[in-house]
Amino acid sequence: MTLSTQQRDQDSQYVLIAKLDNVRNVSTILKAIHSKDREIATVFASENGLKVTVETAKCIQANAFLQSEVFQEYRLKENNISFQINLTILMECLNIFGSNTAGGAAPALKMCYGGYGTPLMLLLEELGVVTDCSIKTLEPDETLDFNFCSANVVNKIIMKSECLTDAFQELDMTSEVLEILMSPDKPYLRLSTFGHCGTTFSDFPKESDMVESFQCTTTQTNRYKLSLIKPSVKALSVSSKVSMRTDHRGFLSLQYMIRNEDGQVCFVEYYCAPDEEAEDEDYD
Amino acid sequence: MKFRAKTEEISNIEQLIRVCGSIGKMTQLCVLRISEQNMFFILNDKVVHGGVWCQMNPDNFFEEYRMEGLSEESNEIYLEVSPDEIVQALKTGTYAAKTLKVKLTKKSSPCLTFEIELPSQSGRIQTFIHDVPVNVLPKRLWSDYKEPLVPQFDISVAMPPLKSLKSVTERLKNLGSYMELSANHNGDMRMRVETEQATVSVNFKDLEIVHVDNGSSQSQPQNRMMGRFYGAKVDIKNLLMFLSGQLVNPSRIICNIMENRAIHCFLIQEDVSIQYCMPVINN
């Protein structure tokens, strides 16, 4: 019996089966939330698709959404499956045939999960070469609820990612914090860092072509730990648009729109708690 | 002892750089054995790096090749040398060299002297001389560097294309330190890494099984089950060193496996053959 027919017979034992013709549609999205210091990810599977969450220092949460339409086949036997997995290992397995995004035949993926306590099984195939992976899963931890709801959003800017990418890549990493100012009046949007060599501001005029929507109601200045927010630049560089929102508590939400190779749109979201009770310039 | 060789072809110099570079990837120090018919780079280390046996036909590298060994009966020279230093010396000659001369010389210590002639811009000939120190091995040590005995292997398989093999091996290295390399007589080859956190196995199929005819193997095939995998565990770093050392695309690599005992890779390029015996990890 060949490997693939064996697999088919075993399909009935899995509670989650997802198939995909192009593994890069998953790996690019997961890469956007992966960084070396955040290895453990929680995976939630529902009938809408997969949500993969990583958290750092209990104050940053990154979510990647892979809606069920991304997969050519998506079958779920139980509702609300969740487990934790080492994202670094998962990424290495997904990229086993190389991670170059430039054209060429992309490997196909089949992902199976047998339920609580079982490993996540991956089957990748490229040009007749088949890779079987079995990755241990861990007990799911509770993830943070940032309680960020759109009703409480005070400021929101949607812009093209490229204009933020440059600013983010040039951030002065000697600064401990990144200060984000959003305001209905000048300077509208300002990113500031306070490093060893001085203070840097980057201003973004709201009339710029890069800014697609500008809805700021209150002047708000918040500080976020730069080292924690910096990894989101990965998401920024693969996305086409970004929505930056803050709520009345100063919590920051960054939503990235990522278009995959099949033209589907996926979202990656970062939530970030403010670094401290900023000395309020928010007179209300 | 005398040794002298000369070439006027840049392509020969470049090929020499590639071969020495490949060897240099695997070892800092090796033995260069010079005989009338052949030149060899030999590494005899069974434990850490594994054994390397690289055979070259000097006619493919040099137009002039003359040597005089220790004596008439033992007409050979054994030199301990660093392949990287040879590469350094030869690199002067890339792109423009007119001639390359290699000589065994006796300066303050024995040296391989590389004499490279380069035309300068004004048209004059510049000569660059590099002395690579060598250690002449006495005859009593020669027996340590005999051609490795090729044991009776359980299976010999032609490896998949180097490029895909290398990229997969690089990924597997990130997952664990050791790999079980195995193959069966249906032409399947498996690279398997098992760690506490994950098990990953890459399966290549439809590979050519090489039948080595050496008399005694005649009776063997019947009692070999077709689907049974024969394998051994190796350090992924060693395999990767061997694979990344090959700077040119070899026509084929044959992997010989002796269950839990030996993995022996045999690589053939037009004018060079490299054998690599990987240390096997037993647990």
Side-chain angles (χ1 to χ4, degrees):
Chain A
M1 193 158 35
T2 67
L3 208 74
S4 53
T5 55
Q6 270 178 14
Q7 290 285 337
R8 221 167 286 140
D9 293 342
Q10 289 166 359
D11 273 4
S12 55
Q13 72 187 58
Y14 295 117
V15 295
L16 165 72
I17 298 173
K19 286 188 193 169
L20 187 73
D21 290 342
N22 183 347
V23 70
R24 292 202 287 261
N25 288 345
V26 166
S27 58
T28 9
I29 307 293
L30 292 183
K31 197 177 158 202
I33 59 166
H34 174 239
S35 82
K36 282 272 143 59
D37 50 334
R38 297 175 295 177
E39 292 209 310
I40 302 297
T42 313
V43 180
F44 300 93
S46 70
E47 55 195 22
N48 298 326
L50 296 179
K51 181 178 126 184
V52 185
T53 303
V54 285
E55 292 178 343
T56 322
K58 293 279 181 209
C59 63
I60 287 232
Q61 184 182 68
N63 296 303
F65 299 96
L66 292 158
Q67 66 270 31
S68 53
E69 293 79 48
V70 170
F71 301 94
Q72 270 71 44
E73 191 183 326
Y74 184 86
R75 275 189 281 156
L76 204 62
K77 278 209 203 126
E78 289 170 19
N79 234 337
N80 302 324
I81 300 166
S82 68
F83 56 87
Q84 279 196 341
I85 195 160
N86 184 317
L87 192 58
T88 310
I89 293 181
L90 178 61
M91 294 293 293
E92 286 296 339
C93 290
L94 291 177
N95 291 328
I96 194 98
F97 293 115
S99 58
N100 59 325
T101 45
L109 168 71
K110 179 177 167 187
M111 186 160 42
C112 307
Y113 177 61
Y116 182 80
T118 62
L120 179 74
M121 311 294 284
L122 303 179
L123 192 81
L124 288 118
E125 184 181 344
E126 185 190 59
L127 305 170
V129 184
V130 176
T131 303
D132 297 295
C133 312
S134 145
I135 310 172
K136 296 248 165 77
T137 56
L138 311 165
E139 185 102 16
D141 250 352
E142 230 167 85
T143 52
L144 299 171
D145 182 3
F146 280 75
N147 201 10
F148 192 97
C149 57
S150 39
N152 293 332
V153 168
V154 289
N155 293 322
K156 177 177 175 184
I157 302 173
I158 300 178
M159 54 186 150
K160 294 207 173 99
S161 299
E162 40 195 303
C163 90
L164 258 194
T165 316
D166 290 346
F168 257 73
Q169 266 159 0
E170 283 165 21
L171 287 176
D172 176 4
M173 287 308 287
T174 62
S175 171
E176 204 177 306
V177 292
L178 169 69
E179 189 178 272
I180 301 180
L181 177 147
M182 288 165 104
S183 156
D185 311 306
K186 258 192 160 173
Y188 309 115
L189 171 62
R190 169 175 284 181
L191 305 180
S192 325
T193 51
F194 311 94
H196 297 328
C197 315
T199 306
T200 323
F201 304 112
S202 326
D203 288 355
F204 300 81
K206 74 168 182 180
E207 302 83 13
S208 159
D209 289 344
M210 292 292 178
V211 177
E212 296 206 347
S213 151
F214 187 91
Q215 298 159 26
C216 292
T217 55
T218 328
T219 303
Q220 208 182 22
T221 311
N222 295 300
R223 291 181 168 198
Y224 306 93
K225 275 258 185 296
L226 185 54
S227 56
L228 295 178
I229 209 165
K230 178 81 181 179
S232 68
V233 76
K234 276 193 179 169
L236 201 53
S237 57
V238 291
S239 66
S240 49
K241 280 182 202 172
V242 55
S243 152
M244 194 186 228
R245 299 180 298 166
T246 53
D247 72 0
H248 63 296
R249 300 164 300 170
F251 279 61
L252 175 71
S253 146
L254 293 165
Q255 281 179 326
Y256 302 91
M257 196 179 100
I258 301 173
R259 205 173 278 281
N260 69 21
E261 286 178 21
D262 295 341
Q264 289 156 323
V265 170
C266 294
F267 286 95
V268 166
E269 188 176 59
Y270 275 79
Y271 288 119
C272 184
D275 185 34
E276 57 196 351
E277 295 293 294
E279 302 95 278
D280 258 346
E281 293 168 27
D282 187 351
Y283 312 101
D284 51 3
Chain B
M1 274 187 288
K2 274 181 194 156
F3 168 61
R4 178 184 285 272
K6 185 180 163 189
T7 180
E8 291 181 353
E9 297 280 338
I10 289 190
S11 62
N12 284 349
I13 303 178
E14 280 164 357
Q15 182 69 355
L16 266 176
I17 292 178
R18 282 191 215 110
V19 174
C20 296
S22 297
I23 305 295
K25 279 258 162 59
M26 288 185 269
T27 174
Q28 287 303 306
L29 207 63
C30 68
V31 168
L32 171 62
R33 173 180 155 196
I34 301 167
S35 75
E36 244 175 311
Q37 268 81 42
N38 286 301
M39 290 171 80
F40 304 89
F41 284 103
I42 306 167
L43 171 69
N44 188 7
D45 175 332
K46 291 198 175 58
V47 189
V48 187
H49 303 291
V52 178
W53 177 267
C54 169
Q55 181 170 354
M56 310 186 289
N57 183 348
D59 296 346
N60 294 323
F61 292 89
F62 301 104
E63 283 95 68
E64 264 180 65
Y65 179 86
R66 268 188 295 154
M67 62 89 55
E68 215 170 274
L70 193 66
S71 63
E72 232 165 85
E73 313 75 83
S74 15
N75 193 13
E76 289 188 295
I77 304 173
Y78 284 69
L79 306 170
E80 200 173 44
V81 64
S82 151
D84 282 334
E85 281 174 26
I86 298 184
V87 172
Q88 288 303 322
L90 289 170
K91 277 215 168 136
T92 336
T94 35
Y95 311 120
K98 270 182 68 85
T99 59
L100 161 73
K101 281 184 206 158
V102 192
K103 278 187 290 200
L104 180 62
T105 53
K106 188 157 191 168
K107 307 220 165 162
S108 56
S109 70
C111 284
L112 267 181
T113 300
F114 291 82
E115 220 176 283
I116 291 165
E117 286 185 356
L118 283 174
S120 72
Q121 284 192 329
S122 57
R124 273 185 312 172
I125 299 285
Q126 295 173 315
T127 307
F128 290 82
I129 297 176
H130 279 266
D131 290 324
V132 175
V134 295
N135 198 358
V136 180
L137 291 188
K139 197 182 170 191
R140 62 185 159 84
L141 294 179
W142 288 11
S143 58
D144 292 348
Y145 300 95
K146 277 198 294 231
E147 175 157 13
L149 275 177
V150 176
Q152 178 75 56
F153 291 110
D154 291 313
I155 189 162
S156 299
V157 59
M159 290 245 219
L162 186 68
K163 214 178 117 197
S164 61
L165 200 61
K166 205 169 117 184
S167 75
V168 165
T169 312
E170 268 163 10
R171 291 285 159 186
L172 290 175
K173 198 188 84 193
N174 298 339
L175 290 164
S177 335
Y178 304 108
M179 162 201 293
E180 194 192 307
L181 185 66
S182 56
N184 69 12
H185 285 271
N186 294 332
D188 300 316
M189 189 181 101
R190 195 162 67 186
M191 294 169 126
R192 186 182 153 96
V193 172
E194 197 173 336
T195 66
E196 263 178 32
Q197 304 205 55
T199 305
V200 177
S201 120
V202 185
N203 306 281
F204 297 90
K205 60 180 186 190
D206 301 331
L207 300 174
E208 187 197 338
I209 299 298
V210 184
H211 295 283
V212 192
D213 274 333
N214 47 358
S216 59
S217 69
Q218 295 299 326
S219 59
Q220 290 275 331
Q222 285 85 8
N223 49 34
R224 280 181 181 149
M225 279 173 293
M226 289 304 273
R228 187 189 188 292
F229 275 91
Y230 297 91
K233 206 170 177 186
V234 293
D235 192 326
I236 301 179
K237 263 188 296 188
N238 280 332
L239 178 62
L240 202 59
M241 243 170 2
F242 173 68
L243 294 176
S244 54
Q246 313 318 321
L247 306 173
V248 256
N249 224 359
S251 36
R252 66 187 202 160
I253 306 177
I254 299 196
C255 177
N256 300 310
I257 302 172
M258 197 175 166
E259 175 106 327
N260 290 331
R261 297 272 300 281
I263 293 215
H264 175 266
C265 293
F266 194 82
L267 180 147
I268 311 157
Q269 259 164 35
E270 295 158 35
D271 36 19
V272 191
S273 75
I274 300 180
Q275 294 181 53
Y276 180 45
C277 224
M278 250 181 283
V280 165
I281 285 122
N282 286 312
N283 47 354

